[in-house]
Amino acid sequence: MKAILLAGGKGTRLRPLTLHTPKPVVPIFDRVFLHYQIDLLKQVPEIDEVILSLNYQPRRIEEVFGEGEGTGVKLRYVVEPAPLGTGGAIRYAAQGVTDTIVVFNGDVMTSVDVNAVVKRHRDAKARATIVLTPVENPSAYGLVETDAEGRVTRFLEKPSANEITCDTINAGIYVLEPDTFDRIPKDVNYSIERAYFPSLTERGETFVAYIDRGYWIDIGTPEKYIQVHRDMFDGRFTAGPFVGADRTQPIVSPEARIDEGATLEAPCFIDAGVHVKAGAVIGRYAVLGKGVVVEDGAEVRNTIVWPNTRVGQNAVLDGPILGRGCHIGRNVSLNGPAVVGDKSALTDFTHL
Ligand code: GDD
Ligand code: MG
């Protein structure tokens, strides 16, 4: 069995962070996002290959994973000649594959039991199986209605307010049979949500749901990107660096340098190569990526700092996301959910 990770979107809602870092490889604590999905897929012994379906900045993703040596799975990259949409991308990536396929949108963080989803698919002898998750407001997602037996009766992508009839949405995780892909036209942009799934219900094919009430989030907006970090800090979701970690203490890489006189407040996360100088305060919900330097007197809370950014003396950061290699001058004050792109320079005393 193969898995396809749809990792070709532009990540527009996470701009400017995604201008140089495609969404599938944005950091979540000390590792790139797709690492978490690959870890989840490793729980399925049948999956013998993970195919990354790429389009936007594919080289940057290939640079991260190389031949896949750090992942423990067999990896293959498929790069579309042009963005083919979610359906077109799946067909393109699945060329030559005849066996059942597991598909993930490359931006959902979840604790779903993929083995159980595959079992549901097999038990129902389904043509397609979709994971659903309940959300408060389905309007930003694909709304999915089911009947009492858990068969999908309707799929409606991005419903308007008056079309919302239930709270279950497409979690972006599917089990599919490649012999249904002939309906996906070649070489044009084709949405699995707007065309393929509705075609299954229209034709009365066996299309079943697996409703999961565990952790699920789409990391594709700044609010959700911050939320996933909070959820992991608070223990609502445990993965990656939090497995086996004591969340009541600051999590500090042994390769970080914390000067005497600096203060750390839990929960916070400090990666390798970070230097926190005397008098600095790293407070609750701060994430410092590799090689970040925090000068003396600076205070950093509720802030995600990507690698190699420097936070100047007496700067106060509360709420923002800072890209890579930024220079935050001294006495800068950033209050609230600003999103600052890579290599930005904020002059001393800037207030935002
Ligand atoms: N290879 C490739 N080519 N990948 C693509 C393309 C493409 O042309 N377009 C989008 N993707 C990838 C994105 O990178 C992302 O991982 C995934 O497909 C879904 O695209 P998004 O742009 O994130 O869609 P969405 O979040 O608005 O909606 C989708 O996800 C929701 C759950 O988070 C839909 O599947 C909804 O139905 C679903 O509820
Ligand atoms: Mg998304």
Side-chain angles (χ1 to χ4, degrees), residues 136-292:
E136 255 168 49
N137 180 6
S139 60
Y141 305 102
L143 178 97
V144 185
E145 291 175 13
T146 54
D147 66 14
E149 276 76 54
R151 283 184 299 247
V152 175
T153 51
R154 185 153 177 254
F155 191 109
L156 186 60
E157 183 66 14
K158 310 276 178 330
S160 51
N162 62 352
E163 291 173 311
I164 295 172
T165 50
C166 60
D167 70 348
T168 41
I169 61 123
N170 169 21
I173 300 159
Y174 324 120
V175 186
L176 303 175
E177 293 302 323
D179 61 7
T180 60
F181 293 170
D182 50 359
R183 76 194 63 180
I184 302 177
K186 277 192 174 159
D187 309 323
V188 296
N189 198 291
Y190 179 94
S191 159
I192 193 152
E193 297 88 349
R194 293 179 194 276
Y196 173 91
F197 289 138
S199 84
L200 294 172
T201 54
E202 278 155 25
R203 297 181 194 195
E205 291 170 296
T206 314
F207 180 18
V208 301
Y210 177 98
I211 300 179
D212 188 58
R213 299 189 186 274
Y215 187 78
W216 183 88
I217 197 169
D218 175 331
I219 62 145
T221 63
E223 299 71 36
K224 300 287 168 131
Y225 179 73
I226 291 171
Q227 188 66 45
V228 74
H229 286 84
R230 282 209 160 227
D231 290 340
M232 291 173 73
F233 271 132
D234 290 345
R236 282 185 288 276
F237 178 63
T238 301
F242 286 85
V243 176
D246 176 2
R247 285 184 300 98
T248 65
Q249 295 301 316
I251 298 179
V252 182
S253 162
E255 287 146 57
R257 192 171 139 202
I258 313 296
D259 285 355
E260 188 118 1
T263 306
L264 308 184
E265 298 163 355
C268 67
F269 184 90
I270 299 178
D271 205 346
V274 168
H275 186 184
V276 179
K277 299 197 181 167
V281 179
I282 307 304
R284 289 165 59 74
Y285 302 110
V287 179
L288 304 184
K290 289 189 179 58
V292 164

Side-chain angles (χ1 to χ4, degrees), residues 118-129 177 205-208:
V118 171
K119 182 171 187 306
R120 165 98 177 108
H121 181 79
R122 296 248 155 90
D123 289 351
K125 296 194 173 54
R127 309 291 280 152
T129 300
E177 293 302 323
E205 291 170 296
T206 314
F207 180 18
V208 301

Side-chain angles (χ1 to χ4, degrees), residues 6-10 13 23-24 53-55 80 83-86 89 105-108 140-142 155 157-158 169-172 174 189 193 216 218:
L6 290 174
K10 286 207 174 81
R13 289 163 291 188
K23 179 168 62 171
S53 162
L54 310 182
N55 181 253
E80 296 150 41
L84 293 176
T86 46
N105 280 352
D107 61 356
V108 294
Y141 305 102
F155 191 109
E157 183 66 14
K158 310 276 178 330
I169 61 123
N170 169 21
Y174 324 120
N189 198 291
E193 297 88 349
W216 183 88
D218 175 331

Side-chain angles (χ1 to χ4, degrees), residues 24-25 32-36 38 52 59-71 75 77:
V25 292
V32 305
F33 175 74
L34 282 184
H35 261 302
Y36 293 89
I38 291 171
L52 299 188
R59 300 290 162 265
R60 290 190 192 261
I61 297 178
E62 291 175 19
E63 272 164 29
V64 171
F65 292 105
E67 308 277 301
E69 54 279 2
T71 64
L75 264 197
Y77 303 101

